[in-house]
């Protein structure tokens, strides 16, 4: 039995591995699917190197190379072109090219240049790996998780699209709508639509996120936004405050659902065992479950929000900026996002207990009328 | 009072009111994580070996997150060992992937942020990309392993006679629920990070092909995938460590009997 199981799992991993390799080869050979010109590097010749030095003590080498590229698609197919590629050892924006690299090419007037690397070849196999491992370890439940992931991403893309066609009417309202639909759909996928748990968790999620966002906005107003630099957000093309609030709302949603599900599931099982449970017992149990989770969840979001700022923060420090300035420019908004999220995570405990209590009361009343 | 100060005070009061002493622990753990992150960034910018900083800093962040749950000794030990193992496995996936996808550093979309900065610094952005990608996954891993270890521990306390095989089965059922919700924590966390970039791509009328091959999309996508993978493999590894721990305990117990 044990043996059969093991060989089963090995077989499944083998299938995932074969799919990964297959997708990799497909994406290496699908240049004809793209309208943008794609080329493969056939040779690279080092031309020269020079040392770059700045006033902050950074000293690195910059290299020039001559690259020959064979075009793989469009009407220029099979033509060979060449251009100069310049890169430095820090590789912040520039990169060296290697033989067999596939790249998107740009054409200006008569000369060709490097536009971008073809990267789908590399992340799609990893996507297959992750979904494969998810399905192998959790089976049918993993299937539901995968579908729910894709549905949520689709909603997300659609919301971004709505923001564009409504001419930025107000991105925050759009994402409030997104949050409502996404959390309802996610919870239904995890627990089913007819489950009392689903709706109690949804009410809790709505309550705690709403209050957390209100606290956030209130604090912005009371303090006149002191220490709040929306203008420092990256990739901003519209009013930054609604954008920041949207990011905070979306970010905290998953964590609050996570916590509310754990806590309310426990409360329900306690309620089943003791149908005449009082508010006091609910409070004790709810607090007990909540306490164990909220620190870890706040840390989880903190790391997701802050980690991606590390390269930029290091760049600032290496450019002779002091720590205070580096913090303000790169980490302050992430910290504020973390704090508002943590407030939402903590508030989930009383919000959950409140809704379980209200629904419990209602049920008792109903039962009372019937008897 | 600044926004940060006031929000911190509100969070402190709420955590104290709702979590009591443990709530204060959670509050402090958040700031310890922040301090560790600051020290890591400063050390890396002083050109300390980024991999050692990452390993030591990463292990510290895992420890802080696991401890913030203030679970019992057994749960803490198991969760800590399991999440450290997951961290090393993820590192083994991240290292080669980041090397070949060349999605580190910045892109032309960042040009506004980069104005006036010298990009030719003594630190390789490939390594920085690996640091950022691994750290982003750690909270979720620690959270999932604590939840799984706690759940199995509670089961075992209520039914101490549970056989190993049954333990694996119930652990699986319980773990699936934990992973199902943890996956969402990770997904929405990363969607939030990606939001402003997605709006920008949309505004600049990037084609589908341009988006899925762009550097910033690829690095966000990969970070999300690493974190999901971390959370998923936490389940079998935590159960495995739990079984080993049980076995160890039984041996010790038998020795005492003798």
């Amino acid at each position: 039995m044990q043996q059969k199981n093991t060989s089963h799992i090995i077989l499944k991993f083998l299938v995932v591995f074969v799919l990964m390799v297959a997708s990799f080869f497909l994406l290496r050979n699908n240049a004809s699917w793209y309208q943008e010109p794609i080329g493969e590097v056939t040779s690279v010749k080092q031309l020269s190197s020079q040392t770059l030095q700045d006033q902050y003590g950074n000293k690195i080498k910059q290299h020039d190379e001559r690259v020959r590229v064979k075009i793989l698609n469009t009407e220029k197919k099979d033509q060979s072109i060449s251009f100069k590629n310049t890169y430095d050892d820090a590789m912040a924006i520039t990169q060296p090219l290697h033989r067999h690299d596939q790249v998107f090419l740009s054409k200006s007037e008569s000369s060709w240049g490097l536009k971008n690397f073809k990267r789908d070849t590399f992340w799609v196999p990893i996507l297959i790996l992750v979904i494969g491992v998810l399905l192998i370890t959790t089976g049918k439940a993993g299937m539901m998780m995968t579908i729910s992931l894709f549905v949520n991403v689709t909603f997300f893309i659609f919301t971004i699209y709505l923001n564009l066609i409504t001419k930025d009417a107000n991105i925050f309202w759009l994402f409030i709508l997104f949050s409502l639909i996404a959390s309802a759909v996610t919870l239904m996928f995890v627990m089913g639509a007819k489950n009392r748990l689903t709706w109690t968790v949804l009410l809790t999620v709505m309550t705690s996120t709403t209050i957390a966002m209100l606290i956030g906005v209130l604090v912005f107003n009371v303090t006149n936004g002191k220490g709040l630099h929306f203008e420092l957000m990256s990739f901003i093309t519209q009013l930054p405050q609604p954008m920041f609030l949207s990011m905070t709302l979306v970010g905290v949603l998953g964590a609050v659902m996570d916590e509310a599900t754990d806590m309310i599931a426990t409360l329900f099982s306690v309620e089943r065992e003791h149908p005449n449970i009082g508010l006091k017992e609910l409070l004790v149990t709810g607090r007990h479950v909540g306490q164990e989770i909220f620190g870890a969840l706040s840390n989880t979001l903190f790391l997701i929000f802050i980690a991606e700022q590390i390269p930029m923060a290091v760049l600032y420090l290496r450019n002779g900026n002091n720590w205070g300035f580096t913090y303000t420019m790169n980490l302050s908004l992430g910290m504020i996002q973390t704090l508002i999220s943590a407030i939402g995570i903590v508030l989930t405990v009383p919000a959950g207990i409140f809704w379980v209590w209200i629904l419990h009361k209602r049920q008792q009343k109903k039962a009372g009328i019937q008897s | 009072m600044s926004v940060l100060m006031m929000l911190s005070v509100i969070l402190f009061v709420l955590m104290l009111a709702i979590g009591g002493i443990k709530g204060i622990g959670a509050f402090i753990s958040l700031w310890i994580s922040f301090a560790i992150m600051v020290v890591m960034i400063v050390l890396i910018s002083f050109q300390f070996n980024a991999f050692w900083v990452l390993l030591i800093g990463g292990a510290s962040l895992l420890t802080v997150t696991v401890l913030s749950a203030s679970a019992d000794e057994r749960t803490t030990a198991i969760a800590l060992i399991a999440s450290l193992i997951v961290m090393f496995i993820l590192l083994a996936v991240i290292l080669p992937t980041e090397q070949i996808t060349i999605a580190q550093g910045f892109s032309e979309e960042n040009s506004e942020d980069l104005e006036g900065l010298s990009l030719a610094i003594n630190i390789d952005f490939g390594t920085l990309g690996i640091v950022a990608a691994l750290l982003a996954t750690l909270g979720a891993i620690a959270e999932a392993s604590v939840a799984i270890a706690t759940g199995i521990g509670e089961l075992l306390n209520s039914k101490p006679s549970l056989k190993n095989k049954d333990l694996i089965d119930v652990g699986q059922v319980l773990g699936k629920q934990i992973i199902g919700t943890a996956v969402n924590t990770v997904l929405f966390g990363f969607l939030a990070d990606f939001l402003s970039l997605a709006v920008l791509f949309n505004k600049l009328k990037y084609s589908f092909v341009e988006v899925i091959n762009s550097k910033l999309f690829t690095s966000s996508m990969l970070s999300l995938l690493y974190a999901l993978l971390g959370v998923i493999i936490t389940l079998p590894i935590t159960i495995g460590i739990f079984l080993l721990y049980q076995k160890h305990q039984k041996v010790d117990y038998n020795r005492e009997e003798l």
Side-chain angles (χ1 to χ4, degrees), chain A residues 143-154:
Chain A
M143 196 70 189
M144 293 310 249
M145 283 181 229
T146 314
I147 297 172
S148 131
L149 283 179
F150 277 99
V151 170
N152 279 321
V153 171
T154 313

Side-chain angles (χ1 to χ4, degrees), chain B:
Chain B
M1 210 184 323
S2 74
V3 174
L4 188 88
M5 271 297 284
M6 197 178 243
L7 285 173
S8 307
V9 170
I10 294 173
L11 180 65
F12 178 78
V13 171
L14 283 174
M15 279 186 160
L16 179 64
I18 293 160
I21 301 289
K22 278 188 179 184
I24 299 179
F27 183 80
I28 293 171
S29 83
L30 192 58
W31 289 102
I32 295 179
S33 295
F34 178 73
I36 294 173
M37 195 68 111
V38 171
V39 171
M40 287 179 75
I41 292 173
V42 171
L43 287 180
I44 293 175
S45 79
F46 282 158
Q47 289 180 289
F48 278 83
N49 184 317
F51 277 101
W52 284 110
V53 175
L54 173 61
L55 288 181
I56 297 168
S60 321
L61 285 168
L62 282 177
T63 313
V64 171
T65 310
V66 169
L67 286 178
S68 77
S70 41
D72 58 89
E73 200 180 320
R74 180 179 64 181
T75 311
T76 307
I78 291 169
L80 205 52
I81 296 169
S83 47
L84 275 172
I85 294 174
V86 175
M87 178 174 97
F88 280 106
I89 297 177
L90 271 189
L91 196 59
V93 175
I94 292 176
L95 277 176
T97 314
E98 292 287 305
Q99 289 287 341
I100 55 170
T101 42
I102 24 184
Q104 81 278 30
F106 311 107
S107 177
E108 55 269 36
E109 292 89 355
N110 292 107
S111 42
E112 211 172 299
D113 301 331
L114 296 173
E115 225 167 272
L117 291 170
S118 151
L119 289 175
I121 63 169
N122 283 9
I123 294 151
D124 161 29
F125 277 86
T127 315
L128 289 179
I130 292 166
V131 172
L134 186 70
L135 289 187
T137 66
L138 296 183
I141 294 168
E143 200 261 326
S145 69
V146 172
I148 295 167
T150 309
I152 299 178
E154 276 167 9
L155 260 166
L156 211 63
N157 288 345
S158 59
K159 289 181 200 139
S161 59
L162 216 57
K163 289 243 166 50
N164 272 355
K165 207 191 152 296
D166 299 321
L167 192 73
I168 297 179
D169 287 345
V170 265
Q172 283 277 357
V173 175
L174 188 119
K176 276 178 199 171
Q177 280 169 3
I178 291 168
I179 289 191
T181 50
V183 159
N184 287 317
T185 307
V186 170
L187 175 74
F188 285 100
F190 278 97
L191 281 182
D193 266 353
F194 188 61
L195 203 152
S196 54
L197 189 59
V199 170
L200 182 73
F201 282 153
N202 208 321
K203 287 259 165 71
L204 297 177
K205 301 229 159 29
Y206 273 37
S207 70
F208 179 67
V209 168
E210 281 173 310
V211 172
I212 65 167
N213 285 291
S214 73
K215 195 189 242 183
L216 297 175
F217 171 83
T218 306
S219 73
S220 305
M221 184 67 170
L222 284 172
S223 294
L224 167 66
L225 290 175
Y226 300 143
L228 289 177
L229 186 66
V231 169
I232 299 164
I233 60 175
T234 300
L235 173 59
I237 289 175
T238 309
I239 295 181
I241 300 292
F242 210 107
L243 291 180
L244 279 179
Y245 188 88
Q246 285 298 106
K247 216 166 146 189
H248 203 74
Q249 287 293 19
K250 267 183 201 150
V251 172
D252 282 353
Y253 186 70
N254 287 345
R255 251 188 230 145
E256 270 167 40
E257 292 273 281
L258 288 172

Side-chain angles (χ1 to χ4, degrees), chain A residues 286-313:
Chain A
R287 273 182 67 175
H288 181 74
V289 180
Q291 282 165 352
E292 280 185 349
I293 311 183
F294 59 52
L297 277 177
S298 308
N299 271 310
T300 304
L301 291 187
F302 165 75
L303 286 172
I304 293 178
F305 296 155
I306 296 289
E308 66 156 9
Q309 296 297 329
I310 292 174
M312 197 61 110

